[in-house]
Structure formats: structure tokens, C-alpha cells
Amino acid sequence: MRIRPDQLTQSLKKNPPGIFVVSGDEPLLLQEACDEIRKYCKSQEFLERLAFHAPKNFDWGQLDEHTQSFSLFGEKKLIELHLESLPNDAGKKSLQAWANQPPEDACLLLISGKIESSTLNTKWFKAIESHCLHVQIWPINHDQLPQWVTQRMQRVGFHPTAAAVKALCDHVEGNLLAAQQEIEKLRLLNTQEQVDVDDILKGIASSNKYTVFNLVDACLERDAKHAVKILQTLQAESFEPSIVLWSLSRETRVLAKLFRARQAGRNIEQVLQQERVFKNKWPLYKKYMGKASPAYLPKLHHHCQLADKAIKGLESQSPWSLLMEASLLLAGVASVKA
């Protein structure tokens, strides 16, 4: 069954099946949905948690082994599988077998980026979806953001004015992680329930010296030295690395679409508009594309994937080291190691 994130709480009260799918490209909403499922599984005594990343060459036999083996302490398991690409034939077969007959002592949580409609309509995925709870997450667009921010602020007891909501939306430029961080900071700075635009501006003024938007601008300007300085400052100020990753990953997706559009002879301004890039940034993107080649994008995407694993504790390298390498690649430094 396919549901929206706001339907998850009620759906978990209806004895859901032993397989969950959470898909989408919005990190905050993806994380929150996964956390709610983890909390539910823990309440059902699935106390042992195992996490795997599944690239193209993933050994799907590992999944079968863990479903057939007993826990050392007799605990039920929650097995998380982070899909980095579509499963191969062995993977499809393994997932369908789980969906058709889930083990009593294990739950499966599949975590994926956006699943395209071409995949949603395949026979193998429909077979899985008919036996699972699929939380499909869509990005919050520009028109929906004010309502989302208002609801988030009301959830923690604030009553924001329309001007306050607009100021916060303009500041975060669609980054939900950054918006949530600003709301949490506001809770520390403001004890009043009523929040006006001055409260928002004070919170922004007390922010870090640099933001992820400064980092992206420096990279698009191909100013590697300034990008390094900004990233080092963010790290020193204990900035949340997942927000940096969100920004770099978003730029990777936007640039990939821009390069594909240019190669197909399409107007890149249409893509910039579709991706909700502010018009005052369009010249920066056009200038960047005049100098950069799309050949580096696969390596940039790879470093973002590694940084995501590192943030989740599934990669031995430092998240900040990987974010630095990704930033340098975006800024045009081609000598970064793979």
C-alpha cells in the first residue's frame, strides 16, 4: 500500500506487514519517516537492528542469510537496506520472496531515493508493494513551503506571523533541514509564542558566519580556495554535515539536468525554473556551465554517496573529508581522488 508521510502514524496502528519501503529525495522527511518506523518496530520488540547499503554488485545472499539465521540473543531483527540502485534479478527475486512470506522474527525497511514511475509500474515492484507499506515522499515545492513551515512552528508551540514565515522561507531557499534547524534555534532564543519577522531576522543574524548557500555559490564561481574556507568554518562551528550534503547533492542533480538539457538543445532557463532556482542565480549557473564539463558529475555523485554513508556511520572515512572532496570537485578541482 502506498501512503503519504502524514498517513504513516495511523497506518502503523493497523498491524502493518513485515516490509516497509520509504522513498524520496527529501532528506529530512525521509529520515523522519524511517525514524518513526524504527520506533514502531522497537515497540514491537524488533530490538536488533542491522543496516546494509545495496549497490549494483550487492550480494543478495546476505539478506537471505540473515532471515534464516537466529539472533544470538533470540531478539527479533529490523533489517535496513539502503538501495543505491535498482536491484538485479537476484535482488528482485529475494525481495518478492520476503514480501510473499515475511519471516516472523524480522522486519525489512527498504530506503531509497525517488523511485521513478517506470519502476513503480513494473511487475516485480507491484508484487512487493501489494504486500508492504510504501511511504512515498515528494519534495515540498515553493508554494507549499510556507504552509509546511507554519505547521512545523505550530508543532513546537509557536504562532508565526505571515511575514515571519516568508522571511524564514526566503532564508532557507527550500532546504527543509535548514528550516528545521532555524526553528530549533528559535526555540532556544525565543520564549514567546508569538513569532514575528524581527524574531526570525535575529535568529538568522545569530547564525554561523557562513551558510551552505555561500558554499554552493563559491563552488559555482569555481573559487576552490573560498569554498575550502567556508567548509572548514562550517565544520569548526559544528554545522550539521547532512545539511551540507543536501546542498551538494541538490546541485549535482540540478547540474546533471542542465547539462542533459543543453546536450538535447533545450533552453536551460526552463530547467532552472523547474528546479526553483532563484532568478538572480541564473547568470552564475550559465557562467559555470560555460567553463565546466559534465564528465566530473559521476565522481561527484559517488563522493556524495560516500558522505551519506559516513554520516550514517556506515563508512570509515570522515564525512567532512568526503564533503571537502565533493566541494572541490564541484569547484572544478579535478585531481580529487576517487
Side-chain angles (χ1 to χ4, degrees):
M1 181 173 65
R2 198 179 304 173
I3 63 171
R4 302 187 309 270
D6 59 1
Q7 297 173 309
L8 178 58
T9 300
Q10 287 301 317
S11 297
L12 290 175
K13 295 178 181 178
K14 300 177 181 178
N15 192 27
I19 180 168
F20 302 91
V21 178
V22 181
S23 67
D25 288 332
E26 187 52 70
L28 176 66
L29 302 184
L30 196 78
Q31 182 66 39
E32 289 179 342
C34 290
D35 285 345
E36 188 168 356
I37 291 171
R38 292 177 186 125
K39 184 178 179 181
Y40 165 79
C41 289
K42 189 174 182 179
S43 73
Q44 301 300 306
E45 298 186 352
F46 290 87
L47 302 179
E48 184 179 356
R49 179 180 164 196
L50 303 172
F52 300 94
H53 273 261
K56 282 186 177 180
N57 60 348
F58 180 67
D59 178 10
W60 288 90
Q62 294 183 63
L63 182 61
D64 298 330
E65 288 175 9
H66 282 285
T67 58
Q68 295 166 6
S69 63
F70 292 98
S71 168
L72 181 63
F73 302 103
E75 294 178 340
K76 294 193 289 186
K77 306 172 188 174
L78 169 62
I79 300 177
E80 296 183 14
L81 204 56
H82 298 257
L83 297 176
E84 296 180 4
S85 63
L86 291 177
N88 56 24
D89 290 341
K92 294 172 185 176
K93 184 178 179 181
S94 182
L95 292 175
Q96 284 180 270
W98 184 302
N100 290 330
Q101 192 172 1
E104 293 182 0
D105 64 343
C107 265
L108 179 63
L109 171 57
L110 296 176
I111 304 169
S112 169
K114 178 184 176 183
I115 300 177
E116 301 293 343
S117 57
S118 56
T119 300
L120 293 173
N121 292 324
T122 58
K123 185 177 179 180
W124 72 269
F125 191 84
K126 284 183 175 180
I128 293 171
E129 200 172 40
S130 64
H131 292 88
C132 81
L133 198 61
H134 179 190
V135 186
Q136 191 175 32
I137 295 170
W138 293 95
I140 304 296
N141 64 36
H142 183 270
D143 294 332
Q144 296 169 326
L145 186 58
Q147 182 181 1
W148 185 88
V149 167
T150 300
Q151 291 173 343
R152 286 281 164 147
M153 295 185 75
Q154 290 174 342
R155 186 184 296 180
V156 295
F158 288 133
H159 299 290
T161 64
V165 171
K166 184 179 185 304
L168 183 53
C169 291
D170 289 345
H171 175 62
V172 301
E173 298 184 6
N175 187 331
L176 301 192
L177 280 166
Q180 184 65 25
Q181 189 176 62
E182 288 296 331
I183 293 170
E184 289 299 321
K185 184 170 62 180
L186 198 61
R187 292 177 67 184
L188 300 175
L189 297 174
N190 191 6
T191 58
Q192 303 295 321
E193 291 184 359
Q194 190 72 24
V195 176
D196 60 23
V197 67
D198 288 338
D199 296 313
I200 298 295
L201 295 178
K202 287 176 185 176
I204 293 172
S206 68
S207 294
N208 301 327
K209 180 179 178 181
Y210 293 115
T211 70
V212 288
F213 307 113
N214 300 132
L215 174 64
V216 168
D217 286 350
C219 291
L220 292 177
E221 289 166 357
R222 298 172 70 84
D223 188 345
K225 184 176 180 180
H226 190 43
V228 168
K229 180 181 178 181
I230 292 172
L231 194 62
Q232 288 176 336
T233 302
L234 292 175
Q235 182 180 5
E237 294 179 345
S238 300
F239 196 80
E240 181 59 51
S242 58
I243 297 179
V244 179
L245 176 62
W246 177 91
S247 296
L248 294 176
S249 297
R250 179 182 183 275
E251 292 310 309
T252 304
R253 291 194 298 270
V254 170
L255 289 169
K257 290 179 180 179
L258 288 171
F259 279 117
R260 285 198 297 268
R262 187 176 70 177
Q263 189 175 14
R266 292 167 50 208
N267 186 348
I268 66 170
E269 289 189 355
Q270 293 179 349
V271 179
L272 289 168
Q273 190 169 17
Q274 290 168 358
E275 294 300 315
R276 306 192 303 278
V277 176
F278 284 83
K279 277 196 173 183
N280 64 333
K281 301 288 186 183
W282 288 12
L284 184 58
Y285 281 86
K286 292 178 181 179
K287 182 179 178 182
Y288 180 86
M289 292 185 65
K291 296 181 179 180
S293 163
Y296 73 97
L297 287 175
K299 186 183 288 187
L300 176 57
H301 178 65
H302 175 65
H303 277 84
C304 287
Q305 285 185 320
L306 289 177
D308 181 52
K309 289 183 182 179
I311 289 170
K312 294 171 180 172
L314 301 172
E315 168 65 42
S316 60
Q317 296 185 69
S318 161
W320 287 103
S321 174
L322 292 163
L323 291 170
M324 180 66 75
E325 292 173 8
S327 299
L328 289 173
L329 280 169
L330 185 58
V333 178
S335 59
V336 178
K337 63 184 179 181

